[in-house]
């Protein structure tokens, strides 16, 4: 396999000298990043000129930027020239049945209570015609079409709805917003696009699961959600099943625009490979997520359950521009072993009477580091605005770290910012109390942790919440011994 | 049911139980009395499986099994229940969820399916009625913000729901007003069955006006220094613990 890669690399490198574009056979761009690679990505995707310009502009800005160092995380330097920035969607060899799938993975699925059908889908087992998920997807797409809802891959959106993409792309997260955002803007491969027309309440949860032509978009994912006036949508990203990816660096962007009276609810369960016990391997997840509550009375709500990744760097934020607009952030971040999470939110109050709520629950175990970092900003004209923040940390054991960095900037006097924080531990007495009632230590931790995170889990769509509960317990397995 | 022989226990090098012997038969209610700091709670903890003690010698058998080799959760599933002297708070975990998990763990251990939600609710209601308890405790988090009396009543309620074979109540009567005391006693009496045994640890004779024990033991300085019938409790009340000193050595 490694040998194949080398040959492939040589071949692609060779062809590169003669002009990359003629090459259709290769499935990977050579390592490294330069304008040619970006042109190649854009051309492979048959993108319009403005899209290429956006990418090149991002790349040029990225070159002048520096990787941020303020987060409470540590990692070896990322070799940006050692990454393949384009790989064609690969045809994987699909297992014929579940008996060909890694038993450890199946074990986790069973613990999560994922149905057999779902297990087959997640592991790529070929399903027979009756069960074929494509047909499910088709009926799903029919429903959406009836309401005029657009839900497709980002690439398709660029082809089929260029005016919408062009209007909103980068309008919430500018391409020079931060180092990782600039990188994503230059090289993103795919992601999701959602448009909910005026006055439409999306009747179903939109989940990446149902997106037709969902290519393998793990590494540099780009999502854009636009809620037109008086619309509503609930969007689900990720799944509880453990996700592996050969690429260590992930830098995604999610942009949300909510127009007047619109509401967008975005839920994430992030369970990328966290690395092994010693902190080897694992995904570096540098994500920029931001919502613009643009119109009056609009609302953007982030809910996240973060259990995976070796490094999580992520601050889903709300810019509350419209008067009376509302921003919410509900987060559970679990770190175990050598995982590091630096996560939180920014609530930027610009409009009058804007409101935001932050509920953050950090759970640290093993030798992990778990930080909450949040900014609440009341700008000059955000009269009579309010924020409430609650940031709790729960520690398992005494080798892990929990940190809270709340930043508050108040530029008017009529607004109120409230911040509460607690740190607690799971005590031996609590565990013994559970043991004495017949509940073993692992289950006891699950029970306590889920109780602790309940406020956030309750915000997830129902089916998701049940799986997420189990996920929390599983993520902490072996953390007390 | 329970057989303790020559049990010596220490913590951080300090000996707490000294060659203690105790036999509890099926269907019996035993009271263990004694002044503070003599090792009553230690004894209860050892039976329940707390692991921060050193067992220097002796053995403990429960239903013929070597109890000291079992995990605390296994002991619980085999029917041992400890009503804690100081019940701990578990924020965020509702009593309902907690007890349902406990009950289903017990059932799983015995090869039974989990209890359905409706059966569980029925069981909770039945026990509340039996104990004359208000219903709102079960919606709250385990012991969180409970008054001292509520915590004790809650222990009895859990005992009622889990239906143990050997219940050990560690000073469940301390700090209770007379009404709460009656609830506790009532609970114990109602659960008294030919197959079950109870060990009531108490500091005062008062509780024994409501729970009539078959056997009364006096624990003093890590040893059982006197064993008798229910009249022993009265004698103790009259003469005070000082009276025991002469028996102790
Ligand atoms: N966890 C512990 N660490 C140190 N000493 C303890 C601990 N638990 C009990 N002891 C000591 O053991 C002795 C017996 O305590 P305990 O069993 O609680 O007595 P009782 O319940 O009869 O009041 C006391 O001297 C007490 O200080
Ligand atoms: Mg005691």
């Amino acid at each position: 396999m490694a040998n194949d890669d080398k040959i492939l690399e040589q071949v692609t490198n060779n062809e590169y000298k003669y002009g990359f574009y003629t090459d259709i056979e290769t499935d990977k761009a050579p390592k490294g990043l330069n304008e040619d690679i970006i042109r190649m990505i854009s051309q492979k995707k048959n993108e319009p000129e403005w899209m290429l310009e956006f990418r090149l502009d991002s790349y040029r800005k990225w070159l002048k930027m520096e990787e941020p160092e303020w987060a409470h995380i540590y990692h070896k330097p990322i070799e940006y020239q050692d990454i393949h920035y384009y790989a064609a969607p690969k045809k994987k060899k699909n297992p014929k049945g579940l008996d060909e799938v890694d038993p450890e993975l199946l074990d986790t699925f069973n613990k999560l209570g994922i149905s057999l059908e779902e297990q087959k889908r997640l592991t790529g087992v070929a399903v027979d015609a009756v069960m074929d998920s494509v047909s499910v997807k088709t009926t799903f797409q029919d429903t959406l079409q009836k309401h005029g809802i657009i839900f497709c891959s980002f690439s398709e959106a660029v082809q089929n709805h260029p005016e919408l993409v062009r209007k909103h792309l980068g309008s919430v997260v500018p391409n020079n917003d931060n180092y990782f955002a600039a990188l994503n803007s230059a090289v993103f491969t795919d992601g999701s696009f959602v448009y909910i027309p005026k006055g439409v309440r999306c009747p179903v949860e939109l989940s990446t699961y149902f997106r037709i032509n969902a290519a393998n978009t793990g590494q540099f994912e780009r999502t854009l959600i636009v809620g037109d006036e008086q619309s509503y949508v609930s969007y689900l990203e990720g799944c509880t099943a453990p996700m592996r990816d050969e690429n260590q660096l992930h830098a995604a962007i999610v942009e949300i625009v909510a127009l007047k009276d619109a509401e967008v609810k975005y839920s994430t369960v992030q369970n990328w490979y966290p690395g092994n016990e010693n902190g080897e391997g694992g995904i570096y997840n540098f994500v920029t997520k931001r919502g613009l509550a643009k119109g009056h009375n609009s609302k953007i709500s982030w809910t996240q359950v973060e259990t995976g990744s070796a490094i999580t760097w992520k601050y889903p934020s709300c810019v509350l521009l419209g008067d009376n607009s509302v921003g919410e952030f509900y987060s559970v971040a679990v770190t175990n072993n050598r995982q590091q999470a630096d996560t939180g939110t920014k609530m930027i109050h610009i409009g009058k009477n804007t409101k935001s709520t932050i509920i953050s629950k950090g759970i640290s175990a093993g030798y992990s580091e778990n930080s909450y970092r949040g900014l609440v900003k009341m700008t000059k004209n955000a009269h009579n605005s309010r924020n409430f923040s609650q940031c709790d940390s729960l520690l398992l054991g005494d080798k892990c770290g929990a940190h809270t960095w709340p930043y508050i900037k108040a530029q008017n006097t009529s607004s109120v910012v409230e911040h509460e924080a607690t740190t607690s531990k799971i005590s031996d007495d609590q565990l013994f109390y559970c043991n004495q009632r017949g509940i073993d230590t692992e289950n006891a931790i699950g029970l306590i942790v889920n109780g602790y995170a309940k406020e956030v889990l309750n915000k997830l769509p129902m089916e998701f919440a049940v799986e997420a509960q189990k996920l929390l317990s599983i993520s902490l397995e072996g953390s007390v011994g | 049911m329970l057989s303790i022989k020559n049990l010596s226990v220490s913590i951080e090098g300090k000996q707490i139980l000294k060659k203690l012997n105790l036999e509890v038969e099926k269907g019996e209610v035993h009271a263990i009395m004694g002044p503070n700091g003599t090792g009553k709670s230690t004894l209860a903890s050892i039976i329940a499986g707390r692991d921060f003690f050193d067992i220097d010698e002796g053995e403990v058998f429960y239903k013929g099994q070597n109890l000291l080799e079992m995990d605390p959760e296994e002991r619980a599933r085999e029917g041992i229940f400890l009503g804690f002297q100081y019940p701990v708070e578990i924020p965020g975990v509702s009593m309902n969820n907690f007890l349902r998990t406990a009950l289903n763990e017990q059932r799983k251990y015995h090869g039974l399916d989990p209890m359905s939600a409706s059966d569980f609710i029925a069981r909770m209601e039945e026990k509340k009625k039996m104990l004359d308890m208000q219903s709102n405790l079960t919606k709250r988090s385990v012991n969180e913000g409970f008054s001292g009396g509520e915590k004790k009543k809650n222990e009895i309620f859990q005992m009622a729901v889990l239906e143990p074979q050997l219940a050990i109540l560690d000073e469940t009567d301390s700090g209770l007003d007379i009404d709460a005391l009656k609830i506790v006693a009532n609970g114990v009496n109602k659960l008294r069955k030919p197959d079950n045994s109870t060990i009531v640890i108490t500091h005062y004779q008062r509780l024994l006006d409501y729970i009539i024990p078959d056997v009364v033991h006096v624990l003093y300085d890590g040893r059982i220094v006197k064993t008798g019938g229910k009249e022993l409790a009265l004698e103790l009340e009259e003469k005070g613990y000082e009276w025991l000193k002469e028996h102790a050595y």
Side-chain angles (χ1 to χ4, degrees):
Chain A
M1 188 66 217
N3 215 20
D4 284 358
D5 272 357
K6 238 181 235 152
I7 293 168
L8 196 72
E9 218 170 277
Q10 275 169 3
V11 171
T12 51
N13 275 327
N14 273 339
E15 281 187 326
Y16 185 55
K17 283 186 205 146
Y18 303 104
F20 198 87
Y21 311 124
T22 54
D23 165 40
I24 340 165
E25 297 304 315
T26 46
D27 64 347
K28 254 185 193 168
K31 283 179 176 175
L33 188 53
N34 53 49
E35 296 204 0
D36 283 340
I37 293 277
I38 290 168
R39 286 177 204 282
M40 175 235 139
I41 294 173
S42 192
Q43 204 205 350
K44 286 251 181 199
K45 297 180 145 308
N46 193 25
E47 288 177 348
E49 189 61 25
W50 59 265
M51 192 70 250
L52 173 64
E53 281 313 314
F54 178 82
R55 289 178 181 277
L56 288 173
D57 180 54
S58 307
Y59 173 68
R60 287 165 197 151
K61 286 172 175 160
W62 179 73
L63 282 178
K64 296 198 191 95
M65 296 169 88
E66 290 197 6
E67 201 182 303
E69 281 174 356
W70 42 261
H72 187 70
I73 52 173
Y74 169 80
H75 57 85
K76 290 205 197 103
I78 298 166
E79 298 298 338
Y80 293 93
Q81 294 303 334
D82 198 35
I83 293 173
H84 295 280
Y85 287 89
Y86 180 82
K90 261 191 276 181
K91 280 218 177 78
K92 275 193 236 149
K93 253 190 248 148
N94 286 335
K96 290 203 184 66
L98 280 177
D99 47 347
E100 287 181 19
V101 176
D102 178 8
E104 207 174 305
L105 189 63
L106 293 183
D107 189 43
T108 310
F109 284 153
N110 289 329
K111 282 183 190 163
L112 286 166
I114 293 175
S115 72
L116 277 180
E117 266 330 296
E118 186 73 353
Q119 293 189 13
K120 286 183 186 163
R121 188 186 70 77
L122 291 165
T123 51
V125 170
V127 281
D128 60 49
V130 187
M131 313 279 196
D132 191 352
S133 50
V134 170
S135 60
V136 179
K137 287 178 185 175
T138 312
T139 35
F140 181 80
Q141 281 291 346
D142 286 347
T143 311
L144 297 186
Q145 235 161 37
K146 223 166 46 202
H147 290 86
I149 295 166
I150 302 169
F151 179 35
C152 60
S153 73
F154 201 92
S155 311
E156 287 172 297
V158 171
Q159 301 303 320
N160 303 333
H161 311 282
E163 63 307 322
L164 275 174
V165 175
R166 192 172 183 181
K167 182 170 173 196
H168 296 288
L169 179 71
S171 70
V172 186
V173 180
N175 64 356
N176 63 348
D177 186 78
N178 67 70
Y179 189 77
F180 299 106
L183 179 63
N184 174 291
S185 300
V187 301
F188 70 85
T189 36
D190 217 330
S192 304
F193 176 78
V194 175
Y195 174 76
I196 313 290
K198 195 170 167 177
V200 170
R201 235 191 117 77
C202 182
V204 283
E205 310 272 355
L206 291 188
S207 140
T208 32
Y209 169 29
F210 286 114
R211 206 184 59 218
I212 286 184
N213 298 342
N216 183 11
T217 52
Q219 195 171 13
F220 299 103
E221 194 165 349
R222 182 103 198 181
T223 297
L224 175 58
I225 299 175
V226 181
D228 212 326
E229 295 182 6
Q230 291 138 28
S231 68
Y232 168 84
V233 65
S234 166
Y235 183 90
L236 307 181
E237 174 205 294
C239 61
T240 50
M243 304 271 278
R244 287 202 175 243
D245 189 75
E246 62 200 75
N247 303 303
Q248 182 161 47
L249 175 67
H250 281 216
I253 291 183
V254 176
E255 292 181 280
I256 297 175
V257 181
L259 300 182
K260 192 164 160 281
D261 300 312
E263 178 176 351
V264 178
K265 191 170 152 49
Y266 192 104
S267 311
T268 310
V269 172
Q270 186 268 116
N271 193 18
W272 289 106
Y273 179 55
N276 68 11
E277 260 171 40
N278 304 317
E280 291 149 358
I283 302 291
Y284 293 178
N285 203 21
F286 296 91
V287 184
T288 305
K289 291 184 167 178
R290 193 174 305 152
L292 175 61
K294 198 169 181 180
H296 296 339
N297 311 312
S298 56
K299 179 174 174 182
I300 289 172
S301 182
W302 299 101
T303 304
Q304 60 173 21
V305 175
E306 302 282 322
T307 59
S309 298
I311 292 175
T312 301
W313 180 100
K314 183 176 181 185
Y315 317 90
S317 303
C318 299
V319 178
L320 303 174
L321 183 63
D323 290 347
N324 311 312
S325 59
V326 176
E328 294 175 337
F329 174 73
Y330 300 100
S331 169
V332 179
V334 179
T335 53
N336 195 1
N337 297 318
R338 303 273 172 180
Q339 281 177 280
Q340 307 173 66
D342 194 297
T343 183
T345 183
K346 287 191 270 187
M347 292 292 175
I348 313 294
H349 293 252
I350 299 170
K352 289 192 276 291
N353 306 315
T354 47
K355 264 204 324 218
S356 64
T357 305
I358 298 171
I359 308 284
S360 162
K361 305 271 180 179
I363 300 166
S364 348
Y367 293 83
S368 68
E369 291 289 333
N370 201 331
S371 305
Y372 168 81
R373 187 182 303 278
L375 167 68
V376 177
K377 186 172 178 180
M378 299 291 179
T379 59
K380 218 170 72 213
N381 296 320
H383 302 295
N384 301 312
S385 294
R386 301 187 73 95
N387 161 268
F388 174 75
S389 304
Q390 170 86 46
C391 302
D392 297 328
S393 309
L394 182 68
L395 299 161
L396 280 76
D398 50 15
K399 308 270 191 309
C400 52
H403 317 274
T404 306
W405 281 289
Y407 304 95
I408 297 170
K409 282 190 188 147
Q411 296 169 340
N412 71 61
T413 51
S414 60
S415 295
V416 183
V417 177
E418 279 178 88
H419 179 86
E420 291 175 11
T422 66
T423 301
S424 49
K425 267 189 139 166
I426 295 185
S427 70
D428 289 346
D429 285 343
Q430 288 172 325
L431 293 177
F432 184 69
Y433 193 85
C434 295
N435 293 159
Q436 209 302 304
R437 300 303 188 241
I439 304 168
D440 65 30
T441 299
E442 230 148 60
N443 273 325
I445 290 174
L447 202 60
I448 295 170
V449 161
N450 277 301
Y452 167 81
K454 197 160 55 186
E455 236 179 309
V456 174
L457 297 177
N458 283 345
K459 297 288 172 188
L460 289 172
M462 189 57 188
E463 332 78 70
F464 229 32
V466 177
E467 281 185 24
Q469 274 186 19
K470 294 184 189 152
L471 179 61
L472 288 193
S473 312
I474 292 172
S475 308
L476 290 165
E477 259 176 22
S479 58
V480 170
Chain B
M1 176 73 70
L2 182 72
S3 169
I4 301 178
K5 292 204 172 74
N6 264 330
L7 182 67
S8 295
V9 170
S10 55
I11 184 161
E12 289 158 9
K14 180 182 154 200
Q15 205 179 8
I16 300 172
L17 297 182
K18 301 167 183 172
K19 289 188 179 291
L20 183 136
N21 291 288
L22 179 67
E23 297 287 331
V24 179
E25 300 300 331
K26 254 191 191 177
E28 291 180 347
V29 173
H30 287 228
I32 295 179
M33 304 182 69
N36 278 330
T38 50
K40 300 185 298 295
S41 293
T42 302
L43 176 62
S45 301
I46 291 288
I47 298 171
R50 194 87 216 227
D51 64 2
F52 53 59
F53 300 96
D54 295 317
I55 295 173
D56 303 320
E57 64 168 315
E59 48 190 28
V60 182
F61 278 86
Y62 167 69
K63 296 195 297 189
Q65 293 162 279
N66 184 351
L67 197 63
L68 299 179
E69 283 178 352
M70 292 159 70
D71 288 336
E73 58 270 23
E74 196 183 348
R75 299 180 196 201
R77 294 167 194 164
E78 283 286 352
I80 291 181
F81 178 90
L82 171 60
F84 287 82
Q85 183 173 5
Y86 304 109
V88 66
E89 303 192 359
I90 311 181
V93 180
S94 73
M95 276 308 302
N96 272 324
N97 195 11
F98 180 71
L99 274 177
R100 194 163 173 207
T101 307
L103 206 55
N104 283 334
E105 287 296 317
Q106 194 187 80
R107 290 174 66 90
K108 190 161 93 192
Y109 179 81
H110 293 287
L112 299 170
D113 286 338
M115 205 177 226
S116 73
S118 56
D119 285 354
F120 175 73
I121 293 167
R123 160 103 65 133
M124 297 287 273
E125 287 310 313
E126 173 207 331
K127 301 299 180 184
K128 275 180 209 161
K129 216 175 260 160
M130 184 184 104
L131 296 176
D132 221 1
M133 277 185 35
Q134 316 127 312
S135 58
N136 63 6
L137 283 190
T138 56
K139 292 214 176 67
R140 289 163 60 183
S141 295
V142 179
N143 296 320
E144 195 186 26
F146 285 24
S147 69
E150 281 174 331
K151 282 184 185 168
K152 298 296 174 85
K153 277 192 273 183
N154 191 31
E155 294 292 292
I156 296 298
F157 177 67
Q158 292 177 55
M159 176 177 83
V161 172
L162 295 172
E163 300 179 342
Q165 285 165 273
L166 173 65
I168 304 155
L169 302 177
D170 190 359
E171 301 213 25
T172 306
D173 55 329
S174 300
L176 293 188
D177 60 31
I178 199 75
D179 290 334
L181 191 73
K182 280 182 184 162
I183 288 181
V184 167
N186 180 32
V188 174
N189 289 330
K190 286 206 168 124
L191 295 168
R192 209 164 169 166
K193 286 186 189 132
D195 280 343
N196 298 347
S197 312
T198 310
I199 298 174
V200 184
I201 295 173
T202 180
H203 196 66
Y204 307 101
Q205 128 32 64
R206 187 174 73 141
L207 178 67
L208 304 180
D209 290 340
Y210 301 95
I211 301 172
I212 312 296
D214 298 301
V215 186
V216 175
H217 307 274
V218 180
L219 186 65
Y220 191 82
D221 193 24
R223 274 178 259 255
I224 290 188
V225 294
K226 214 168 169 37
T227 296
K230 58 179 195 277
E231 27 353 291
L232 180 57
L234 288 171
E235 198 178 349
L236 207 58
E237 180 87 342
E238 224 170 81
K239 300 188 179 166
Y241 286 115
E242 283 302 300
W243 162 67
L244 287 169
K245 275 194 178 157
E246 58 201 71
H247 294 266
Y249 302 99

